[in-house]
Amino acid sequence: MTEKYEQATEKSPLTGDTSDVAEGSISSRSPSSKGSFFDRFRFSSSSSKAGSIKSYASLEPVDEFACLPEDEAKILRDQVEVPASPASYFTLYRYANSYDQFILLLGLASAMLEGALKPIMAILFGRVTDVLTGYDPSVMYYYNSTSSYNTSYIDTSYYNATYYNETFSRYMPYDPRYTAEPVSADEYYRAIRNLALYLVYIGIGDIVLSHLKTYIFIDRGEVLAARIREHYLAATLRQNIGYFDKLGSGEITSRITADTVLVQEAISEKVAFIVANSTTFVVALIVAFTQSYILTFIMLSVLIGIILSTGAATVYMVKYQQKAQDGYAVGGTLAEEVIGSVRTVQAFGIQDVMSTAYDNFLKVSEYWSIWAGIAVGLMNGTMYLCSFSTDAMAYWQGIRFFVEGYFPVGSIITIIFAVFQGAYAFAIISPYLSALTSGIAAGTKIFATIDRPSAIDSSDESGEKLPDLNGHIELKNIKFIYPSRPNVTILNEFSLDIPAGKTVALVGASGSGKSTIIGLIERFYNPIFGDVFLDGHNIKSLNIKWLRQNIALVQQEPTLFACSIFENIAYGLIGTPFEYAAHEEKKSLIIEACKQANAWDFINSFPEGLDTSVGERGFLMSGGQKQRIAIARAIVGNPKILLLDEATSALDTKSEGVVQEALDRASKNRTTIVIAHRLSTVKDADCIVVMRRGQIMEMGNHSELLAAGGEYHELVKAQQIESLKEKQKAQIENEEKVAAAAEEDGVQLTTFPTNQNQLEPSKTRMTVGGVSVIEGGAMFDMEEQREPTFFEAFKFIYELSRPELFWNVTGIIACFFNGMGYPALGLLWGANLQAISEIYDLWELKRIVQRNAGFLFMLACSLGISNTISGSTFGYSSAKLIRRIRYRSFRQMLRQDISFFDRDENTVGSLTGTLSIDAQSVEGLGGITLGKIVDALMTVVGSCIVSIALAYKFGLVMTASVPVLLGSGFYRFYLLAKFEANAKKENSRTSTFACEATSSIRTVVALTRESDVWEIYHSSLNEMVVRNRPSSLKSGFFYGLCQGSIFFIMALGTWYGGQLLGTGEYSLFQFYLVFMSIVFGAESAGVVFSFAPDMGKAIQASKNIKTLLECKPVVDVWSPEGDIVPEAVEGNIDFKNVHFRYPTRPEVPILRGLDLSVKAGQYVALVGASGCGKSTTIALIEEFYRPTSGQICLDGKDITEFNIAAYREKIALVSQEPTLYAGSIRHNVSLGSPKEVSEEQIVAACRSANIHDFIMSLPDGYETMVGSKGALLSGGQKQRIAIARALVREPKVLLLDEATSALDSESEKVVQAALDAAAKGRTTIAIAHRLSTIQNADVIFVFEAGKVIEKGTHQELLAKNGRYSELVKLQALEGQ
């Protein structure tokens, strides 16, 4: 640990807003020069100050096809563009069948009946008022027998004849138009009891109806959302490959995880709440009209404001939320790319660069989310203004009608209560409308994909299926341009005839169009002009699935699925007669295919054999093992056409010879097209086609082309390899068997304890070295950590929200005023009704009530302002919080060591789903929901305090009933929190599966796995829906209990309050103050618990995020501990008795006491069979893992004593499978340097990697976009850019893991010379299967079973005539 390094880290500027950057910054440089990401969007204000939100707010689409003729542009547009598919709300129910519709109608009816109960309560409330105002406990009647004033009740000194002269006719005589008829005590108490019973009955009905509506909509929401997910995945799988080149699998993952959740929320229980509250609104108006149409019409004028504000706000909410989702979807693609290539990210220390790039897209989403929050706040404020204004309007006009004798006070109260209930119901719809608008916005994107007509639809059942396929392929006058790179023509007027049953090899430089021909034959793309024929039939007229089932493809970078080896190979049987064969019959076919692909020996060495899991994307297998499994998958179905795109590029020499023989046998009597850079693998082809820049330069067999002395001759000469002599074959095969037996015996003889505690890990000054086996799981096993409690999770979210403390405090203050609105409302209602009951001076009564109406309007204005402030401030802080959570979670993921990503639960799909869903779910404790929670809390607490203070006996009884409501609500919340914890695991599993399928789309469609993938996904979703039903049933019941409790509280208040009024202990003012405050407070709390699902998701998401952010890895790149590697480091690497096992497979030893010494400046090569530990050695040097025991030293010092980030700055890695990131070529090359690099340095590195000339031939040069995962470049081009990225780093130690495996012969020689030159003055460790690339190495280490069995120079090892000599004989190197 040194101050120098810390200071360098602290001073490093980052592009964009750095206020949210967590401590422990990894990179010490600015990524500002790293190029732009995702050319799909261009920021309109690129010159704006970094970090300005506005600079990211405008996304301008660019017409990439404007440079092409319209007919060509149309062909390309059809392959990539997604036509807009505007979705209305009812579109979200498009997959509901008749049964669903019936169930939904039942739920709809339940919701409507439940909504109608509250307006009925208004009628009862009016009757209560009539009873209460018509009874005086001090006298039996208001009037004596002479119909004069009862002087014992009225003070005649005040109500004198002077004030009430005879000219005013409406004074004390009884008039049934404007006062209630007096009632006796018996009638009074009987009426109170009956009204209380009615409220109990309504409460019971509410429990049943609320439970029914909630359960139905939750359950059907899950069912319909599952169907949408299924249709979206099915639609995605049938899209043409150009669609994926443009979109990126990360955006697809975001849609299928986050957006479908939004759609589910829009069609789930929130719909029931909207229907119930809308029904309340309508029925309330009907009730009001039955009492007085004049007063109701007057009050309706205010409600128009609610309708207009809701409509306007909804339009803007949909608009802003859709833009926010668009912004994050692109960022999701970046996150998927980066997490999927985390080894490259960690090797080059570009965590901060990628985090900042990701944050730039979060800014877009944040910007529009803030505007959506403001729109919601304005809508909410307007609704409360209008809702409470109805009370003011009602009393202002109602008292006039009362004074003039149009109707009694009970009718006024019924109208006021009904209209207020309707207005309030309409007002609280706003949070639910927000969910609906979000769902519509998300549905628009989802249905656009579902409705998109695929240019090449693999699900289309039309098309001809040839009864007898021969395999004659012909390409005629092909012009081809990739849809995602329209400015580069790949093939032009290209024609090629491939006879049936023949083997044709395509050779040439990278980018010459070889892989493009494979894509055209597989019909991944449509050509601009020309046609591809199969047995004389245009492949456009053939059934696509049938075509692909008769073609087997082995790609350059093999893709395996996260299942067993058996299942992976069995996918090659899809479309064959053996697809549905018995298990044993399949197994025999698979074993034979494995033997032919030279895969059976290593498979059989695994404890579980064919049932061994390969891990996500096959990460548990070495490159050679993956390739051999892929070859076995290709040949198991005995296809008519075999396409081999660098099928043996990842194999070691020994395996290659055997597999090549198997492929040669497999190609007999079938059409085979081979793409190869190793010319030794194609020398026996019937025809070799030499290509350059989309043109055929020469054709012929091996001998003919050699004799012609043309380009092929030069390629052969460059590779310096000739064919094996036939007489050596028998000897080699014999040696091969002996070697295989020895290797197998070596594996079996070496035994290791399976109990992890029996291992003796090494220790270092920083941590326990044996962490990969002993402590690895305990240190970062998220499942084994103690789950945070509710309060810990809530506190954690509070801490994350601290930067927005001012806004949150402002919102809470506003919520305090919101919450005190109901006690204030009860006070004014009580004052008015007390006045109506006691004041017989009609003008005085009118003056007092209209004055109170003015106070009510003032209350409405203050609530309108406070609700606008609370909605907007919480919306603002919520948007900030979501961005911060996503950013920090992403950085935390990149902080983890590689063992974290090896775990089954930490797949790419799962982690991107965490970023997308969990962060969004936290909004369930923020934004509108947080505002409602604080509102309800303030309302309940304020109401209870005011009630107890002014009428303690009645207040205490009413307050004591509130915990019943709160208890049922909280228990429902608890159930939902548990449900969300389980649901997260299920969603993670299904989203991981979908993510894997879409990111491996070429392999999926080539195997015609679309239906199989869909069936597995469908089954998983169906199981999840069934398992969730009991939780939904419980949740619905407790919600119903919560809602029914409101009526029970009203019944208690009516009965007990009526008793207190009957005895004269409390006045009408005190009764209404307590009753209104507690009842509306309880109702407000009940509304909050309707958000329990969102709150449950938020709490579970908070726990997940807290666990992630507190997860400290063993190999921690944020750690400031450790020494800085000296600038004068020499580069000596030593392995001392190193043992290693992967944490995910502790029962399989990889390195078994490895001793290896590399001197400074040496060029060292590691060779050996696949799976012998070569790549593991590279990973340990990079400190991706810690060894189980032993030491790895740099210049004699244990590497665990160095600061990890500083240590990795001295190392550069070129992996076997190159990883590029969406952005420019310049950006990708510059990522290699730990400091700013000049244009000259980038160009020099590209020249050294033999890629500069190709880059300059592109229209945009170094600004050319490489596409998602480098999809727009060939394998060789990607590899050369990866080499340039390593060279620009100027490392002290250079690690080459098959760095030239993807290069053609022409490029390989030049690049190898560049690598040889780059190796001078630095330590270089190379893994190579092509021994021609390492014959000049200073030392060659031969690996077997995790140990070095031979070492020496090329000549020394040949002289030993051991394992290396055998490998050389297999490749027959010349010039030795």
Side-chain angles (χ1 to χ4, degrees), residues 185 548 1006 1317:
R548 290 172 178 167

Side-chain angles (χ1 to χ4, degrees), residues 37-38 249-250 330-347 349-359 361 617 890-891 893-895 898 901 908 911-912 915 1219-1222 1227-1228 1231 1268-1269:
F37 272 72
F38 297 81
S249 58
V330 186
T333 295
L334 169 62
E336 193 268 343
E337 280 191 20
V338 172
I339 295 173
S341 60
V342 70
R343 286 166 175 80
T344 301
V345 172
Q346 294 211 1
I350 54 176
Q351 293 95 327
D352 278 345
V353 178
M354 294 305 178
S355 298
T356 303
Y358 177 66
D359 190 44
F361 291 102
R617 308 188 189 191
F890 185 64
R891 290 187 75 245
M893 288 175 186
L894 299 186
R895 173 193 184 186
I898 300 301
F901 299 92
V908 175
L911 295 176
T912 53
L915 291 172
T1219 299
L1220 300 183
Y1221 301 99
H1227 166 76
N1228 274 278
L1231 285 175
S1268 176
K1269 300 180 183 177

